[in-house]
Amino acid sequence: MISMRFPPWAIGAMILGLAGFAVMVAANVRQNRGVKRSLFAYPYSLWMVVFTIIPLLLIAYYAFTDRSGQFTLENFRTFWDSNHEMNKQLAELGFDPAALGGARGTVNVDTLVYSLWMAFLCTVICLFLGYPAALFMADRQFRLGATLVILFIIPMWMNFLLRTIAWMSLLEDNGLINSILTALGLPRMQLMYNSQAVLLGMVYNYLPFMVFPVYNALSKQDYRLSEAAMDLGASPILTFWRVTMPLSLPGVISGITMVFMPSVTTFFIPRVLGGGNTEMFGDLIERTFLSADNWNVGSALSLIMMVLILMSLTLLRKVDPEGEGGSTI
Amino acid sequence: MAERPQLIKLEDVSKQYDGAEVLSDINLYIRKNEFVTLLGPSGCGKTTTLRIIGGFEHPTTGRVLFDGQDITGLPPYKRRVNTVFQKYALFPHLNVFENIAFGLKVAKRPKDEIKARVEKLLTLVNLKEYGRRSVESLSGGQQQRIAIARALVNEPEVLLLDEPLGALDLKLRQEMQLELKRMQQRLGITFIYVTHDQEEALTMSDIIVVMREGYIQQIGTPKDVYDEPKSAFVANFVGESNIIRGTMLKDFLVSFCGAEFQCVDKGFGRNVPVDVLIRPEDLQVVEEGQGMLKGTVRSVLFKGVHYEMIIDTGEFSFKVHATTMQPEGAGVGLSVIPFNIHIMRPMPVELVEEEEAGE
Ligand SMILES: Nc1ncnc2c1ncn2[C@@H]1O[C@H](COP(=O)(O)OP(=O)(O)O)[C@@H](O)[C@H]1O
Ligand SMILES: [Mg+2]
């Protein structure tokens, strides 16, 4: 498959990175004598280095080299040059810009725009479904709140692939819903293989990531604050808009982040529920790596995705300067 | 003093949480411009009573009247009552000005009126320059004042205060007691004040309502409650006390500690068991052989203004406050004038046991 021979400069960079980390640790120990506390952080830091920093460096390495290990910017050209050989390969794999609502540029750009749009829709829907759910769950008077929390947690114990496939058996042409429709003498409906089905799958999978941060923010809120608002003459609705909601914003921003990020990089769901008609950027990266066996272009696409996510996070952090939302990642 | 009209009235109010009764048989009226204090140990139902008046809890039975109208079912935002919450409950996302302005903003008052009234209140609570500060940057005492200003902005007829000074240190607390009392008199607002601090209650109140385990024990002026407590519980809770089991022989004559004493109480009947209350400052230490009782000094503590001595007569250990001391082990006599012997109906046995277990 891919050659694991790295040029000397890449190996040098990695050694430098590890050495830098070691120095950092040493300096840390010396600086704050609280050795005990920082000791606990080391396994975690080591974990970060092995499973985050090194993979990131590897991705960067692949993105800026060609198959023979030479430095190149060629991999990024797939992004704007539709004549790039990779784009032709992707088209053969069934990535059709037209299917995504008109060709704007290369298959990559169209897929990315489509993914961002889907992620945006998913986040908005999750917010509008999740916020009221969290509100009920956090309500002191509402005795079913705790039950609701559990109902949201239980499906999360199931594997994400299983959950998605389960939707298939509901939505299929011969699935549960259509069987019921037929039994009632109604015409069957095409429920799968379109972007609505994909959106449904995404919302279903990511909703808890909205509900829990918001629930957390709401249930931590001192109930006396909303009592104080009512005491001062605010109706329950005004109390919500002026006190409860503003104070839950850090949770909302956290929720938006936690839903948006995995949404943009969604893969597999489009293939199962969308039938491969409308695949997303995550699928595209996966196929570039595995089907087209091109780690270099795949890494370049991943880097672009990462930069985009970082940019949107920075933007969110501007909205929430206290940074409670951004700090969850 | 002319009788002022009753502003708030609780009629046969009780409150249960999951079947446990935390308030029973609460009957209480509060007159206009009165400073009324709910006093009692922690957990006796003071906050619950206040929350029922504020509209945050609904009584299980009974009614709440405001100016003669039944407001039992009225939500808090429709009551002409404002609250200073136990831990202030200031809005952390609003600055000082916005916190105080909250009540006016939700009432959609014009901007310049809001500005004028908030500034007036900031002046009233001595925090004129603090409008733009975040509430979290203020000290406990300052937050306290903001909470009061915020509650006063709507010009309520009644202000409810739940242990508002509980979190402050002693000196600041005493300053704020005076300040609150002055403010109440100047603004002419009815204050319903909750505290478990008897000294605070005695200093500030027109009327004290002593509560215990969900029941009202006594309602009266600070002087009534201190001088004529209706039960040993009230006597113990308000001020320090010696409570001795005794027998009322007949009107104006009581026996305890093996001696007979003249007293000023009557109407208990003949030879009935009673509780006898003598305040520590009402006992005089005299030379051995004089006075009605004979005892030995067991301990002496210097308390600043006075000495506190424990004097054991064999039957009872009296707590005595005096400005001069006797050394430990000294034999002394004790005397008390009839006016300072207070006779109370005895507590039911089960309460006595609790009391003793709690000591
Ligand atoms: N929401 C509630 N649910 C159950 N029990 C409560 C609730 N609120 C108060 N209580 C109980 O009612 C009793 C009186 O409480 P409270 O009015 O807060 O007393 P205080 O203010 O005098 O300390 C306590 O035993 C308390 O545990
Ligand atoms: Mg309380």
Side-chain angles (χ1 to χ4, degrees):
Chain A
M1 254 185 135
I2 227 69
S3 85
M4 291 300 281
R5 273 181 299 113
F6 298 106
W9 63 264
I11 295 173
M14 274 176 223
I15 291 176
L16 220 74
L18 279 174
F21 172 69
V23 169
M24 211 177 70
V25 167
N28 212 29
V29 171
R30 193 160 292 176
Q31 215 173 32
N32 40 354
R33 304 235 166 94
V35 181
K36 262 192 211 149
R37 183 149 53 118
S38 36
L39 263 182
F40 286 112
Y42 295 144
Y44 176 69
S45 312
L46 197 67
W47 176 276
M48 284 271 293
V49 168
V50 173
F51 293 100
T52 310
I53 314 252
I54 292 180
L56 268 177
L57 288 174
L58 279 174
I59 287 177
Y61 166 72
Y62 281 118
F64 288 101
T65 51
D66 62 18
R67 278 176 190 260
S68 61
Q70 295 295 308
F71 176 80
T72 178
L73 291 173
E74 181 70 5
N75 301 320
F76 292 92
R77 195 164 57 81
T78 42
F79 215 69
W80 62 83
D81 186 352
S82 46
N83 288 323
H84 193 286
E85 105 193 79
M86 190 64 226
N87 286 338
K88 290 184 188 143
Q89 275 187 44
L90 284 170
E92 279 163 26
L93 283 169
F95 278 88
D96 177 11
L100 304 173
R104 291 176 199 83
T106 61
V107 119
N108 291 307
V109 175
D110 283 331
T111 309
L112 185 59
V113 170
Y114 171 72
S115 298
L116 288 172
W117 174 241
M118 288 290 276
F120 170 76
L121 286 181
C122 173
T123 309
V124 170
I125 295 173
C126 282
L127 183 60
F128 279 94
L129 291 179
Y131 198 104
L135 208 54
F136 275 119
M137 280 154 59
D139 188 344
R140 292 197 329 138
Q141 316 282 344
F142 184 62
R143 279 164 190 256
L144 291 178
T147 320
L148 213 59
V149 173
I150 299 202
L151 284 180
F152 265 93
I153 290 177
I154 288 176
M156 289 177 75
W157 292 343
M158 227 179 354
N159 183 284
F160 140 85
L161 300 180
L162 277 182
R163 272 180 286 160
T164 307
I165 290 169
W167 271 107
M168 244 172 102
S169 57
L170 289 177
L171 301 177
E172 270 169 347
D173 282 355
N174 298 314
L176 188 66
I177 295 176
N178 272 324
S179 308
I180 293 173
L181 285 180
T182 323
L184 294 173
L186 296 166
R188 282 162 189 267
M189 291 201 307
Q190 175 63 45
L191 298 167
M192 265 192 17
Y193 309 129
N194 51 37
S195 47
Q196 286 90 320
V198 176
L199 199 56
L200 177 72
M202 287 167 68
V203 168
Y204 175 71
N205 272 301
Y206 302 138
L207 187 58
F209 296 106
M210 179 66 76
V211 171
F212 285 110
V214 176
Y215 166 70
N216 200 28
L218 286 171
S219 57
K220 269 195 317 202
Q221 219 176 87
D222 187 353
Y223 67 91
R224 285 189 214 89
L225 292 175
S226 44
E227 286 188 352
M230 281 196 237
D231 187 71
L232 292 164
S235 64
I237 291 174
L238 259 183
T239 300
F240 174 77
W241 284 115
R242 291 194 174 246
V243 175
T244 315
M245 203 277 292
L247 285 172
S248 70
L249 277 185
V252 170
I253 289 187
S254 199
I256 290 177
T257 319
M258 308 250 300
V259 171
F260 188 75
M261 283 201 310
S263 292
V264 186
T265 52
T266 297
F267 72 110
F268 188 73
I269 297 177
R271 207 172 303 164
V272 175
L273 297 177
N277 292 333
T278 54
E279 297 203 0
M280 290 173 62
F281 206 67
D283 299 290
L284 188 129
I285 291 174
E286 192 240 45
R287 286 194 192 250
T288 308
F289 269 98
L290 298 183
S291 309
D293 192 21
N294 192 333
W295 287 35
N296 304 94
V297 172
S299 297
L301 295 178
S302 307
L303 263 191
I304 289 171
M305 166 110 287
M306 232 145 56
V307 168
L308 273 175
I309 289 180
L310 275 180
M311 272 164 39
S312 39
L313 284 186
T314 319
L315 220 78
L316 266 182
R317 228 174 260 191
K318 287 242 165 69
V319 182
D320 168 36
E322 324 245 301
E324 207 170 307
S327 62
T328 48
I329 36 137
Chain B
M1 209 192 308
E3 284 289 270
R4 291 181 287 211
Q6 294 177 6
L7 191 57
I8 288 184
K9 197 167 177 192
L10 302 186
E11 279 183 0
D12 299 321
V13 165
S14 74
K15 175 72 186 174
Q16 298 181 352
Y17 286 117
D18 306 316
E21 186 140 295
V22 300
L23 282 183
S24 320
D25 240 348
I26 300 294
N27 281 288
L28 172 68
Y29 59 81
I30 290 156
R31 294 182 191 284
K32 226 175 160 58
N33 297 355
E34 257 176 3
F35 194 122
V36 175
T37 298
L38 306 181
L39 173 68
S42 173
C44 71
K46 306 179 297 286
T47 298
T48 307
T49 309
L50 210 65
R51 287 171 61 80
I52 285 174
I53 299 172
F56 300 110
E57 300 284 354
H58 292 293
T60 311
T61 64
R63 303 196 302 160
V64 182
L65 304 181
F66 188 97
D67 240 351
Q69 283 188 329
D70 189 338
I71 59 161
T72 316
L74 207 64
Y77 52 94
K78 291 188 178 155
R79 300 192 180 196
R80 284 175 295 169
V81 166
N82 284 123
T83 309
V84 176
F85 287 83
Q86 199 158 8
K87 302 243 164 66
Y88 316 147
L90 296 175
F91 304 123
H93 60 305
L94 303 179
N95 68 23
V96 168
F97 184 97
E98 293 163 334
N99 260 280
I100 301 177
F102 191 91
L104 297 172
K105 281 219 180 100
V106 298
K108 300 215 164 59
R109 309 302 307 169
K111 262 213 167 78
D112 33 336
E113 183 194 328
I114 294 181
K115 194 163 168 358
R117 273 168 71 179
V118 172
E119 305 225 303
K120 213 173 114 194
L121 279 165
L122 278 171
T123 315
L124 179 82
V125 296
N126 282 326
L127 288 171
K128 217 170 169 187
E129 309 298 327
Y130 286 72
R132 302 207 163 279
R133 293 275 291 271
S134 90
V135 290
E136 273 148 0
S137 71
L138 302 183
S139 71
Q142 290 167 334
Q143 292 192 13
Q144 174 59 69
R145 288 156 200 262
I146 301 303
I148 292 167
R150 183 181 69 175
L152 287 174
V153 82
N154 285 352
E155 296 175 352
E157 287 179 63
V158 179
L159 194 64
L160 310 178
L161 304 100
D162 193 353
E163 313 224 6
L165 309 182
L168 308 181
D169 59 53
L170 183 65
K171 195 147 169 22
L172 192 55
R173 194 155 74 223
Q174 287 168 344
E175 274 171 36
M176 282 300 288
Q177 285 172 7
L178 292 178
E179 205 170 312
L180 275 176
K181 182 76 189 165
R182 268 202 302 271
M183 205 180 279
Q184 185 255 340
Q185 283 164 343
R186 181 138 59 102
L187 299 171
I189 297 179
T190 308
F191 271 36
I192 306 181
Y193 191 97
V194 162
T195 183
H196 63 264
D197 179 340
Q198 46 101 11
E199 215 173 292
E200 191 164 286
L202 292 173
T203 318
M204 301 173 79
S205 323
D206 297 322
I207 299 287
I208 295 178
V209 179
V210 186
M211 293 179 67
R212 172 185 205 201
E213 291 179 5
Y215 287 91
I216 292 180
Q217 298 281 311
Q218 186 167 358
I219 303 178
T221 62
K223 204 165 157 29
D224 284 346
V225 172
Y226 189 82
D227 286 344
E228 302 295 334
K230 283 202 182 139
S231 65
F233 172 78
V234 175
N236 261 328
F237 197 77
V238 182
E240 293 188 79
S241 52
N242 297 294
I243 293 165
I244 314 122
R245 316 230 78 184
T247 307
M248 197 71 183
L249 298 174
K250 56 179 189 182
D251 284 355
F252 310 117
L253 192 66
V254 64
S255 112
F256 56 89
C257 290
E260 290 182 7
F261 295 81
Q262 299 283 327
C263 65
V264 294
D265 296 88
K266 60 178 166 86
F268 286 85
R270 282 171 166 271
N271 296 318
V272 283
V274 289
D275 282 340
V276 179
L277 161 71
I278 306 174
R279 298 285 183 193
E281 67 272 19
D282 291 338
L283 282 161
Q284 274 118 38
V285 182
V286 293
E287 268 177 41
E288 198 171 11
Q290 298 183 2
M292 301 97 146
L293 294 165
K294 190 163 115 51
T296 314
V297 179
R298 287 277 174 248
S299 71
V300 184
L301 280 177
F302 181 58
K303 290 273 184 161
V305 186
H306 60 260
Y307 292 93
E308 178 177 300
M309 287 175 278
I310 302 296
I311 296 175
D312 191 357
T313 65
E315 284 94 353
F316 192 83
S317 284
F318 284 91
K319 190 186 275 177
V320 180
H321 291 171
T323 47
T324 55
M325 64 161 276
Q326 299 291 328
E328 256 173 58
V332 294
L334 280 176
S335 89
V336 55
I337 60 169
F339 181 77
N340 284 333
I341 297 175
H342 307 288
I343 310 294
M344 304 175 295
R345 289 190 194 285
M347 266 194 285
V349 177
E350 74 274 6
L351 289 185
V352 174
E353 278 164 0
E354 242 172 65
E355 200 85 325
E356 281 162 1
E359 294 279 297

